[in-house]
Amino acid sequence: MLSFVRCSRIRPTTLLYRGIRTSPRLFSETPDLLRFGNYDLVLSENPTAVGVSHIAKNIVPDHIKLPPYVGDTAYQRKAGDSFVQLSSKEEVDALRRATRLARRTLELARDLIKVGSTTASIDQVLHNFIVRNGAYPSPLQYYGFPKSCCTSVNNVLVHGIPDNRPLEDGDIVNVDVTVFLDGYHGDCSETFAVGDVDDLGRHLIETSKIALAAGISACGPGRPFKGIGAAISQAVQLRGCSVNESCNGHGIGTEFHRTPWILHHKNDEPGVMKSGHCFTIEPVIVQGDDSRGWMLPDGWTLLTESWARSAQAEHTVLITDTGVDVLTADVA
């Protein structure tokens, strides 16, 4: 479980007493934390706990089809690095079903984000919804991940593990959902405001949406993959934020994560998009100009090094003959 310290009251001695491994910037720039707004910092109550084997895993009914990596931690290495490109109407239709369910699941999460709710309870509701619709929650048991979605609060960059800490007024929380339905994965995420979020927090959430839209606008057949990162970087910089460079989008389809790898910052990666390419765009946006992160010993939870807040928005997109189809766009 994670513990939280009010940003305006944080003291380095408190963190040392708790045994937290801190960013080297914390002690030299503690007063500057106030420029990021009023929110709770996410810290580990048990920073020496390694891995996630001590966390109870969600249970999936026997009739649900499992992705091949469940129970096989070497699967990703054995499966190779094949490029995701869909070539038939049947493949695209199956992917559309998975992405529609992912979007419906994320919309359900929106309704659950309230002061006093726990991310563990939200995860359980989403888990039940996914399996009730005949799908498998893709994050569950992916390299041992114990829960069915990722919930990243405030200064958590990505891969926050749902827990029993109640959401508080002023939090922001990213919910990242992926479902595996009829052999295909659909992936999307959004950052939500909890109660009365300050102006800086709302600016950050809006920036994550603008960044995603900028990345999508750079997509189309024959266009370079590196254009996605260039467009995102420009949009984010204009709004006084930065893009984390260690988190990237990925090809998706029958595989959860495959090439093409989508970089969200300025880069010189080669390659152009072709009709049938399917991938996620999911920039992780951080307040200020330092987007670096550091990992908790659980091997999943990535925190901002500057202790600033982070927000993310994500879509699964399909390159078509004439442009780009946002498969996880809002559903009626």
Side-chain angles (χ1 to χ4, degrees), residues 59-61 63-65 101 104-105 108 112 122-137 148 179-181:
I59 304 300
V60 176
H63 69 277
I64 298 297
K65 180 180 179 179
L101 179 58
R104 288 170 56 203
T105 305
L108 175 58
L112 301 173
I122 292 169
D123 175 76
Q124 190 61 59
V125 172
L126 299 185
H127 173 87
N128 293 341
F129 178 78
I130 292 167
V131 298
R132 191 163 61 243
N133 281 275
Y136 181 91
S148 297
V179 304
F180 181 68
L181 178 66

Side-chain angles (χ1 to χ4, degrees), residues 308-319:
R309 281 173 291 189
S310 170
Q312 181 185 30
E314 174 187 11
H315 277 310
T316 296
V317 303
L318 174 68
I319 304 302

Side-chain angles (χ1 to χ4, degrees), residues 4-303:
F4 301 77
V5 179
R6 177 62 62 182
C7 185
S8 59
R9 300 174 187 168
I10 189 168
R11 296 179 181 177
T13 52
T14 301
L15 299 182
L16 283 174
Y17 178 77
R18 294 183 179 183
I20 303 297
R21 181 174 66 85
T22 59
S23 155
R25 290 189 56 185
L26 179 63
F27 302 102
S28 61
E29 301 189 14
T30 297
D32 288 345
L33 288 172
L34 299 180
R35 68 189 173 100
F36 297 130
N38 185 32
Y39 57 97
D40 281 2
L41 288 179
V42 177
L43 303 171
S44 174
E45 285 186 340
N46 187 6
T48 61
V50 177
V52 294
S53 60
H54 60 287
I55 301 175
K57 293 180 173 61
N58 290 341
I59 304 300
V60 176
D62 292 339
H63 69 277
I64 298 297
K65 180 180 179 179
L66 305 179
Y69 52 78
V70 175
D72 185 357
T73 56
Y75 172 77
Q76 291 290 303
R77 290 185 292 276
K78 291 190 297 186
D81 204 25
S82 55
F83 211 87
V84 172
Q85 185 168 8
L86 306 181
S87 58
S88 70
K89 182 179 183 301
E90 290 75 20
E91 288 177 309
V92 173
D93 287 346
L95 184 65
R96 288 188 190 281
R97 290 192 295 272
T99 52
R100 280 198 297 267
L101 179 58
R103 186 69 211 187
R104 288 170 56 203
T105 305
L106 190 60
E107 291 301 321
L108 175 58
R110 181 191 306 276
D111 295 336
L112 301 173
I113 303 294
K114 300 175 182 177
V115 174
S117 297
T118 69
T119 51
S121 66
I122 292 169
D123 175 76
Q124 190 61 59
V125 172
L126 299 185
H127 173 87
N128 293 341
F129 178 78
I130 292 167
V131 298
R132 191 163 61 243
N133 281 275
Y136 181 91
S138 303
L140 182 61
Q141 298 190 55
Y142 183 75
Y143 282 108
F145 192 82
K147 299 299 180 182
S148 297
C149 67
C150 298
T151 53
S152 302
V153 179
N154 294 343
N155 60 299
V156 178
L157 282 163
V158 289
H159 300 157
I161 301 171
D163 62 28
N164 291 315
R165 178 262 188 183
L167 293 173
E168 296 185 0
D169 188 50
D171 285 345
I172 66 172
V173 54
N174 175 266
V175 180
D176 192 339
V177 169
T178 314
V179 304
F180 181 68
L181 178 66
D182 298 333
Y184 286 81
H185 297 272
D187 194 357
C188 55
S189 85
E190 187 173 339
T191 300
F192 303 102
V194 183
D196 185 17
V197 173
D198 64 16
D199 290 343
L200 290 176
R202 292 187 180 277
H203 176 83
L204 176 65
I205 293 174
E206 185 63 22
T207 301
S208 71
K209 297 176 181 179
I210 290 172
L212 176 58
I216 293 172
S217 72
C219 293
R223 303 189 71 176
F225 282 111
K226 67 181 181 181
I228 296 173
I232 291 172
S233 295
Q234 182 179 30
V236 170
Q237 186 175 15
L238 288 172
R239 293 178 61 84
C241 297
S242 54
V243 183
N244 178 267
E245 298 186 7
S246 62
C247 303
N248 56 267
H250 52 88
I252 192 168
T254 56
E255 305 289 348
F256 191 177
H257 296 106
R258 278 294 176 274
T259 47
W261 306 118
I262 306 301
L263 305 183
H264 302 118
H265 56 281
K266 289 183 180 179
N267 64 86
D268 292 317
E269 289 295 309
V272 298
M273 301 171 222
K274 298 179 181 179
S275 180
H277 283 169
C278 186
F279 50 86
T280 68
I281 302 176
E282 46 185 307
V284 178
I285 310 304
V286 180
Q287 294 174 300
D289 59 5
D290 184 356
S291 64
R292 293 175 297 176
W294 59 284
M295 183 77 70
L296 288 180
D298 62 24
W300 287 100
T301 309
L302 191 66
L303 308 179

